[in-house]
Amino acid sequence: EAGVVQSPRYKIIEKKQPVAFWCNPISGHNTLYWYRQNLGQGPELLIRYENEEAVDDSQLPKDRFSAERLKGVDSTLKIQPAELGDSAVYLCASSFGLAGAYEQYFGPGTRLTVT
Amino acid sequence: DAKTTQPTSMDCAEGRAANLPCNHSTISGNEYVYWYRQIHSQGPQYIIHGLKNNETNEMASLIITEDRKSSTLILPHATLRDTAVYYCIVRVDISFNKFYFGSGTKLNVKP
């Protein structure tokens, strides 16, 4: 069974440029998460989807970040415009079920470098 | 929100048991304890979780104290491939499956 797929794995952009990350969750997983991980720290949740609905986006910087999950399957996270402080690893995770003790499965992440 | 406290780093000899402690003194009665690990340049990987009772699977054992204020993850026979950052997480919102990762413990398994 394929795991969570993310692309690209690495991205280098100049500040003020837009960037997008793509995630395809494990088949059948209806909950999808985007995390940001700064160097030396644990992942921090940006947004969580249940099917196509964003049910928790309280940590998403909405002035420059946006996300979508059309049809409740794959998802895209966008930053426009990027700032130097956005350099981090962006992780996507998915889980089965909408509640309960369900583990999250993570993709390998996209390492973003903003110069 | 229940938070966790873990040592920054630990060393373990290959083949020996690795015991990783975690304090979660403010944990509530319905909050689960999860353990994940993150090997360099990979996404976090689920290891084990528990509520009250001790748990064991093919990867590790989880020992939760009776008062639930602390837990220990045990890797019975550590290998070099177990070198990773280990995160102890208390799931703070049972209905929303929300995790707060701390900084974790860097486990160094040495030959």
Side-chain angles (χ1 to χ4, degrees):
Chain A
E1 178 181 316
V4 176
V5 179
Q6 291 188 247
S7 68
R9 288 296 313 277
Y10 305 92
K11 189 73 176 180
I12 301 174
I13 61 171
E14 294 183 347
K15 62 181 180 181
K16 301 185 180 180
Q17 296 300 306
V19 64
F21 315 121
W22 177 80
C23 172
N24 191 35
I26 293 173
S27 178
H29 282 194
N30 45 18
T31 304
L32 183 146
Y33 314 76
W34 282 104
Y35 288 85
R36 177 170 60 189
Q37 185 172 25
N38 293 313
L39 187 64
Q41 299 180 20
E44 297 176 315
L45 181 69
L46 291 174
I47 189 169
R48 180 172 66 93
Y49 283 91
E50 289 182 3
N51 298 311
E52 65 275 7
E53 182 182 0
V55 296
D56 184 357
D57 63 355
S58 57
Q59 301 302 313
L60 189 72
K62 298 180 182 62
D63 57 335
R64 297 183 299 107
F65 286 66
S66 64
E68 61 181 13
R69 191 185 184 198
L70 301 176
K71 300 181 180 179
V73 181
D74 57 351
S75 176
T76 302
L77 178 68
K78 299 179 182 178
I79 307 175
Q80 183 172 10
E83 297 179 353
L84 295 177
D86 296 331
S87 295
V89 175
Y90 291 83
L91 293 160
C92 178
S94 69
S95 66
F96 175 75
L98 304 179
Y102 298 111
E103 59 262 34
Q104 299 179 20
Y105 296 84
F106 285 79
T110 297
R111 181 176 297 276
L112 174 68
T113 301
V114 182
T115 63
Chain B
D1 296 346
K3 291 294 189 289
T4 62
T5 303
Q6 298 178 254
T8 302
S9 65
M10 294 181 62
D11 291 337
C12 178
E14 187 178 19
R16 304 297 293 269
N19 296 278
L20 291 89
C22 179
N23 287 321
H24 31 79
S25 58
T26 60
I27 194 170
S28 298
N30 63 349
E31 292 177 332
Y32 286 79
V33 179
Y34 278 74
W35 284 83
Y36 277 72
R37 73 180 182 183
Q38 188 171 24
I39 296 170
H40 184 62
S41 296
Q42 297 182 22
Q45 175 192 22
Y46 167 81
I47 301 173
I48 198 167
H49 74 277
L51 183 63
K52 295 180 181 179
N53 300 320
N54 298 336
E55 302 287 344
T56 296
N57 63 20
E58 64 278 5
M59 290 183 67
S61 294
L62 174 61
I63 308 299
I64 303 174
T65 58
E66 190 170 349
D67 63 7
R68 301 209 329 121
K69 293 184 177 182
S70 65
S71 61
T72 300
L73 179 74
I74 301 172
L75 307 179
H77 305 287
T79 70
L80 297 179
R81 290 178 296 179
D82 292 322
T83 293
V85 176
Y86 287 76
Y87 295 101
C88 169
I89 302 158
V90 172
R91 198 178 69 168
V92 298
D93 186 333
I94 194 170
S95 63
F96 292 104
N97 207 26
K98 189 168 186 175
F99 290 167
Y100 283 106
F101 289 79
S103 297
T105 296
K106 176 64 188 302
L107 176 67
N108 298 298
V109 181
K110 299 184 175 181

